[in-house]
Amino acid sequence: MIDIAPVATGEDRTMAVPPGAVVRTGYVDLFAVRLACRERMAVGDVKAAFERRLQLGDHQPWPCPRGHWEGDTFVLVDGRHEYVAALMLGHEHILVAWCER
């Protein structure tokens, strides 16, 4: 019997997947990420993401931040609070998701 830990999610974040596309996930170096949205972030939202990541330790949250690739740079379109929290905690990589045709 395979021992699999239960999966828990703290919030519902959806990702629209076009017909025929495949969702890929992988670890990306934090310094190879660019934020698509550079608007101001609420301190409380960053604090909440920081506390979630702190509780996870070396594990990554699911659903993970998502975006797309532009060459060797991953453009983050959703999950910027998690990205900033990972930077604050000194992580080197972040788990992300993207669609491929």
Side-chain angles (χ1 to χ4, degrees):
M1 180 170 185
I2 299 173
D3 183 29
I4 300 175
V7 175
T9 57
E11 60 188 63
D12 179 24
R13 290 188 4 211
T14 58
M15 179 177 181
V17 180
V22 175
V23 177
R24 304 267 185 218
T25 60
Y27 283 88
V28 176
D29 185 319
L30 282 175
F31 298 103
V33 174
R34 180 172 55 85
L35 299 179
C37 175
R38 293 181 179 230
E39 296 292 320
R40 294 179 66 178
M41 291 184 246
V43 174
D45 293 342
V46 175
K47 179 180 184 269
F50 178 84
E51 289 174 352
R52 253 191 324 270
R53 282 203 169 261
L54 193 58
Q55 290 175 351
L56 289 172
D58 62 348
H59 293 79
Q60 296 286 323
W62 185 266
C64 57
R66 62 185 176 82
H68 60 272
W69 288 97
E70 286 184 4
D72 292 339
T73 302
F74 189 79
V75 180
L76 198 66
V77 296
D78 179 42
R80 63 193 178 131
H81 299 96
E82 288 84 358
Y83 169 77
V84 171
L87 279 174
M88 292 167 62
L89 287 166
H91 293 281
E92 295 180 8
H93 297 86
I94 188 172
L95 179 67
V96 296
W98 66 93
C99 284
E100 289 182 356
R101 294 236 177 234

